[in-house]
Structure formats: C-alpha cells, structure tokens
Amino acid sequence: MADRLAREAAHGNREFGIAGAIGIAVSPLGGLVAVLAYHGARATVALDGGQVLSYVPAGGGEVLWLSPLARLGTGKAVRGGIPVCWPWFGPHPTSTGLPAHGVVRTARWRVVETAHEASGVRVRLGWSAPEGAVPPGLPDNRLSVRLDVTLGRRLSLGLTTENGGARPVEITGALHSYFRIGDIGVTAVTGLDGARYLDKLDGMTRSQSGDVTFAGEVDRIYAASVPVAVRDPVLARRITIEATGSASTVVWTPWTEKALRLGDLGPEGHARFVCVETANAGRDQRVVAPGMTHTLGASIGAEPL
Ligand code: TA6
C-alpha cells in the first residue's frame, strides 16, 4: 500500500508538480495530497474526498481544524478541514439509507490540472461516476463535479457542478469548513445580524439578533450569504469568509453531548472548532440545466483582531 501510494505520488509529481509551488505527496494520514505553497502561505488538499485539510496564511497560524483521529483512504469521511458535501447537503431528501452530505466525501478524486498564476497557485480536482459503479443517490451518472483550490493572499475554493446529462438536475451542497478556534465559549460569528435561519434543532425559523454566540449545540441554516467572520479572542484573530453562488450559510457546533456521540473529535475537540459552511442548503437548492454548470465558491482569509 505504501509503495503504491509512493509510486502514485511520483507519477503525480511528474504530471502535475510545479517546482516551489505544487507537489503531490503521500500524507502522514495515509493518502495522496496536493501541497500548495505561495509566498509563505501553505495549503494541503487530499485527493480522498477532494478535501482541503490545512490552510496556513503567510505569517499566520493554521486556519482549519482537523480531528486528531483523521485518517485518509479509510472509506470514512474525514472530520475537519473543508469536506465537500455534494450533490446533496445533510440527509438525502428522499432516501434515508443514503449517506449524509452526498457521495464524494469518501470518493477518490483525481488531479485534473495545476497552475502557477500571478495571483496564486491552483489545483483542480475532479470526480465523475466510475463506469458501471454509479453511487446510489447520484441524480444522473453524467453529473460531475470539480473543485478548484487557489492559494494566494487568501484561500479560494470553487465547487463546480457540470450537468452532462439530458435532464435538469436539482442539487444542494456545501463547503463544510471546520475553522480552528481557541474556545467555542468565547467565539462569535459576525455578519448575520437580522438574517432569517432554520434552527435544525427544533425545526423553527427565527431571526438572528446580533452576533452568533455559543452556549450549547447550534445547527442553523441561515438564508444569507453575506460576508461573515469568526471572531476568536483566544487566538486573537478574525477568519473572514466570502461566498459566491450561494444564498445560505450553515453554522454548527455539536457542543458536548453530540461531540460524545460523534466520537471522532478528540478530547475537548468540540471547543476547538466552529463550522461556518458556504452552502446551497435548505431552500437554496440549485437547478443545473443540461450542458450547464453551477459554481459554489468560498474565499477564506485571516487577520489579527
Ligand atoms: O452542517 C451541519 C451538519 O449537517 C450537522 O447537522 C452535523 O451532522 C454535521 O453536519 C456533521 O455531519 P457529519 O456527517 O460530517 O457527521
């Protein structure tokens, strides 16, 4: 297994590596990753799941939280980083037996292209249904997805759905970002004041008053895609998130009881991250016509408080 991965990494570097900017490597977590470097900033993207695992801005600290139990290539979704929820967000709309958050979090994506541009370095990963092995729940086997990850002054992601079929397809999805924080109890999400949200804990719809703060489990789909920020007084920074192709933002913390049920957050893990997800979730479904595309985009940065 290790030899095979090493051979795949060597092949990937020959085909896609860019000296000093992008390398394909074997991660200590047990899978292939694309490692991006740009003027002192670094990012790591796993081919398993098309999942950003790490983002460190130039002169800053790690922006993303990753479970200490994270392992790649196990067939189980990795907790942390930026999981890709596609082509549905949350439980499947009609079939209870299907995995939450779609079919690509545990799939092997392929490197499509890499580029070193003036504004940053970019890797494009792609996924399409394997011949004769269409995952249950995929609305059409000619529906494909690609993820562009660009490391520059900020980290930008573009999740593009392409409908190669003959019928319109309705999708939901999210870039399910786990942001690293010092303590959930003193962290706030700003920018959502006045936004309507579906509270998934009781199914009620409410309006946000002021900043989103945390004293228990929070699981909300906000009908808004305004620029938001995670204000973290412990790490003395603000993580800023801007969205495109989205009209919904998900905010989630499991708090203690759900954290215990999840079992893969590590000690005090729930206190060290908050999920602020750039989404097409809830009523923010998107219909992709035949031959057309839809891109859900997120731009992430960090600045001192
Ligand atoms: O985005 C919030 C959420 O939908 C929560 O309800 C919780 O289920 C979380 O995603 C994590 O889901 P996962 O399938 O990764 O455990």
Side-chain angles (χ1 to χ4, degrees):
M1 171 73 161
D3 289 347
R4 178 178 62 77
L5 281 175
R7 285 195 302 274
E8 284 189 69
H11 175 73
N13 267 314
R14 284 192 298 273
E15 192 167 3
F16 298 107
I18 300 175
I22 297 181
I24 309 296
V26 179
S27 163
L29 301 181
L32 287 184
V33 292
V35 181
L36 285 62
Y38 178 77
H39 293 208
R42 298 189 316 279
T44 303
V45 192
L47 274 59
D48 291 305
Q51 192 162 344
V52 177
L53 300 177
S54 170
Y55 166 44
V56 181
E62 177 61 66
V63 170
L64 301 175
W65 176 87
L66 190 65
S67 167
L69 308 179
R71 291 294 175 270
L72 295 173
T74 65
K76 188 175 177 303
V78 166
R79 178 82 56 198
I82 305 178
V84 174
C85 305
W86 184 90
W88 67 83
F89 173 81
H92 186 275
T94 55
S95 306
T96 52
L98 293 173
H101 295 326
V103 297
V104 294
R105 286 199 290 175
T106 55
R108 165 62 83 87
W109 295 49
R110 69 188 182 285
V111 180
V112 174
E113 65 181 32
T114 53
H116 189 178
E117 296 147 352
S119 58
V121 298
R122 175 173 58 82
V123 60
R124 169 171 289 178
L125 302 181
W127 181 88
S128 52
E131 283 295 317
V134 180
L138 192 68
D140 185 311
N141 64 1
R142 289 158 298 180
L143 196 68
S144 63
V145 64
R146 59 182 181 262
L147 177 71
D148 287 316
V149 180
T150 304
L151 176 66
R153 195 175 51 78
R154 294 170 64 88
L155 182 73
S156 298
L157 288 80
L159 184 69
T160 299
T161 299
E162 184 157 359
N163 183 356
R167 297 176 293 110
V169 173
E170 182 177 284
I171 61 167
T172 57
L175 295 166
H176 193 301
S177 306
Y178 285 73
F179 293 110
R180 182 172 170 265
I181 55 175
D183 179 352
I184 189 70
V186 297
T187 295
V189 173
T190 64
L192 290 166
D193 183 26
R196 301 283 288 166
Y197 67 87
L198 167 65
D199 189 333
K200 287 172 57 185
L201 301 183
D202 62 9
M204 299 297 288
T205 299
R206 299 182 170 92
S207 285
Q208 179 62 37
S209 173
D211 296 339
V212 184
T213 54
F214 306 95
E217 183 179 358
V218 168
D219 195 349
R220 302 173 183 172
I221 302 177
Y222 287 85
S225 68
V226 293
V228 295
V230 175
R231 190 180 61 233
D232 178 351
V234 174
L235 300 182
R237 71 176 175 190
R238 178 181 289 106
I239 298 171
T240 58
I241 306 114
E242 296 167 18
T244 53
S246 159
S248 50
T249 302
V250 179
V251 177
W252 176 61
T253 176
W255 211 252
T256 50
E257 281 179 36
K258 181 149 190 182
L260 282 175
R261 292 201 301 273
L262 290 171
D264 58 0
L265 303 186
E268 285 299 297
H270 75 281
R272 302 290 175 258
F273 75 84
V274 63
C275 283
V276 180
E277 305 158 36
T278 306
N280 294 131
R283 294 185 176 177
D284 182 21
Q285 305 99 335
R286 301 297 167 117
V287 176
V288 188
M292 302 302 283
T293 62
H294 168 68
T295 297
L296 172 65
S299 165
I300 298 166
E303 58 198 37
L305 266 186

